Amino acid sequence: MRAGQLSVYPCAAAAALVAAGLAVPDLPRAEAKLHTAEFLSKTYVVDRKYKSMTGPSGTQTIHLLTSSPAELLWVTGFKAVVVGADGEASMSQEFMCHSNLDLNGAIHRRLFNLDRVTPNRVFTLSQGQQEIEFPKGYGLPILSNEPFDLTTQVLNHNIEGQSFSLRHKVTVEFLRDAELETPMKPLMQVSANGLVLVQGKDGYFNIPEADAQVHGPGCLPGASASNAGGVYTDEYGRKFTAHWVVKPGREVNSTNVTRFMRLPFDTTLHYIAVHLHPFAESLELRDLTAAKSLYLSKARPAEGKIGLSHVDYLSSEEGIPLSADHEYELVSVYNNTTPEPVDSMAVMYLYVLDREFKRPKP
């Protein structure tokens, strides 16, 4: 062994150099391991047609880790597929209605010392988009002891006279903060929901006196609520629904979503997941104040069947600027090519940079 050479592992070598009073460069660390947690829903029997939001469903409580003490995790991805009753057999994804992952908002706000309103919803996946992967370096912070509610549902628009036993296989991807080489950029979820007016003087959610030049045209009046969703009332007595019926033909609906989004600060938008029902053509997020389109998601129908084969999503490391004092609008386009009314939804789940994030105390 040559003079001065240390035949020890790097961490021991560093300790020896420190003891000798020599400068020690930062030692390289391996890239953090991507962890996955996989869950199966109960078995659903589909033996007849079920429209969107009406098929068999269930909710289960899950945890990503059971480590003690609790540790900070970063959720970076979410995937859901329909499989057979054995949890492995390949099945047609036309049976997918949705997979929802929800946190307990009250618990999450307490753990992260948040004063602002936060949604329970973390993810929704549905026909057309069944996987989410955030841009590299971005994630949703949670603590390992936080419980999730996983709600899954199946549907059947096309097949009669057969019976199927189905399950959802759901995978959550995450990183452990203790294993990170570089800090993550924290995301928070903000939703923008398309609405229709069921009752009230105009179609502007939580806007007392609207100006069409500032707030857009407002959502469709006099529309019918779908049986799949309820009606709720805004602060000024108007009644809206996010589950509505589209009559035969083409329908364009504009909703001012500024009060739905409730942006607490200026930020940047890094991911958009889109939730639409069959016969949707597109969903667009517009900045009314700046008079420009921020993102247009196009939907592609399933070939020869009722359903969606693909829905566009946005993923951006650079991000799109959002301003808390701007007005925003969601514009949905449906084209019902059947002779009967169909149910619909139009939602963008916006994942934006959380500029107020503070690491939770142990």
Side-chain angles (χ1 to χ4, degrees):
M1 183 171 66
R2 296 191 301 271
Q5 184 179 1
L6 298 173
S7 70
V8 288
Y9 291 107
C11 58
L17 290 171
V18 169
L22 302 176
V24 183
D26 291 336
L27 295 171
R29 295 173 59 182
E31 187 173 348
K33 175 185 176 183
L34 182 65
H35 299 270
T36 60
E38 191 172 279
F39 307 94
L40 283 170
S41 73
K42 66 181 182 181
T43 300
Y44 302 122
V45 176
V46 174
D47 54 6
R48 59 185 181 276
K49 285 187 176 180
Y50 292 103
K51 292 184 178 181
S52 300
M53 312 292 290
T54 64
S57 64
T59 300
Q60 61 201 94
T61 300
I62 64 171
H63 292 81
L64 299 188
L65 284 180
T66 56
S67 56
S68 181
E71 59 179 292
L72 178 61
L73 307 178
W74 297 89
V75 178
T76 60
F78 184 59
K79 181 180 180 180
V81 294
V82 175
V83 295
D86 64 356
E88 295 294 337
S90 177
M91 300 295 292
S92 172
Q93 298 309 299
E94 68 184 288
F95 297 112
M96 166 66 72
C97 185
H98 61 259
S99 282
N100 294 342
L101 193 66
D102 294 276
L103 278 172
N104 184 308
I107 293 176
H108 185 74
R109 287 191 292 272
R110 185 179 74 244
L111 291 173
F112 284 83
N113 194 29
L114 294 172
D115 294 326
R116 65 173 185 257
V117 176
T118 59
N120 292 335
R121 181 60 43 85
V122 180
F123 296 114
T124 287
L125 291 176
S126 55
Q127 234 179 72
Q129 185 183 4
Q130 293 179 224
E131 185 172 7
I132 289 172
E133 183 179 350
F134 291 141
K136 186 176 181 180
Y138 291 86
L140 289 168
I142 69 158
L143 288 183
S144 57
N145 59 347
E146 288 191 72
F148 288 96
D149 282 338
L150 174 62
T151 300
T152 53
Q153 188 169 29
V154 293
L155 55 69
N156 177 23
H157 285 297
N158 301 296
I159 303 174
E160 291 184 298
Q162 298 183 53
S163 180
F164 303 89
S165 294
L166 309 168
R167 304 175 82 174
H168 280 231
K169 178 186 282 188
V170 173
T171 304
V172 183
E173 297 180 342
F174 63 95
L175 299 170
R176 302 174 78 162
D177 188 77
E179 297 175 349
L180 293 176
E181 180 179 358
T182 56
M184 294 288 286
K185 297 174 183 177
L187 295 174
M188 55 183 273
Q189 192 265 104
V190 174
S191 63
N193 284 54
L195 302 173
V196 296
L197 181 70
V198 177
Q199 181 180 324
K201 67 171 185 174
D202 56 43
Y204 295 92
F205 179 78
N206 270 343
I207 301 175
E209 297 296 333
D211 179 345
Q213 291 187 336
V214 175
H215 303 106
C219 63
L220 290 171
S224 300
S226 164
N227 292 331
V231 174
Y232 53 93
T233 305
D234 77 354
E235 297 174 8
Y236 304 98
R238 306 180 189 92
K239 296 184 183 296
F240 297 85
T241 181
H243 303 255
W244 72 94
V245 172
V246 176
K247 297 177 182 179
R250 199 164 186 268
E251 176 195 277
V252 179
N253 182 42
S254 300
T255 304
N256 186 299
V257 292
T258 311
R259 281 90 192 145
F260 236 106
M261 292 166 60
R262 293 180 296 197
L263 281 177
F265 41 71
D266 294 350
T267 184
T268 47
L269 171 60
H270 296 276
Y271 197 94
I272 301 178
V274 178
H275 176 64
L276 293 166
H277 284 195
F279 304 104
E281 288 188 347
S282 64
L283 187 60
E284 182 180 18
L285 179 65
R286 294 189 55 81
D287 184 331
L288 291 171
T289 307
K292 66 179 181 180
S293 175
L294 298 183
Y295 183 66
L296 174 64
S297 169
K298 294 183 179 181
R300 187 164 64 238
E303 187 173 352
K305 296 179 179 180
I306 295 175
L308 297 175
S309 65
H310 177 79
V311 177
D312 291 341
Y313 63 90
L314 171 78
S315 181
S316 171
E317 286 190 38
E318 180 182 357
I320 298 172
L322 297 178
S323 300
D325 61 352
H326 280 206
E327 295 287 330
Y328 295 95
E329 177 186 61
L330 203 62
V331 182
S332 64
V333 179
Y334 272 83
N335 186 18
N336 178 7
T337 57
T338 76
E340 302 293 331
V342 298
D343 55 279
S344 66
M345 288 186 71
V347 186
M348 281 190 178
Y349 295 98
L350 314 175
Y351 298 89
V352 305
L353 187 65
D354 185 356
R355 298 190 181 280
E356 294 180 345
F357 172 74
K358 295 179 181 178
R359 298 177 67 86
K361 296 179 180 179

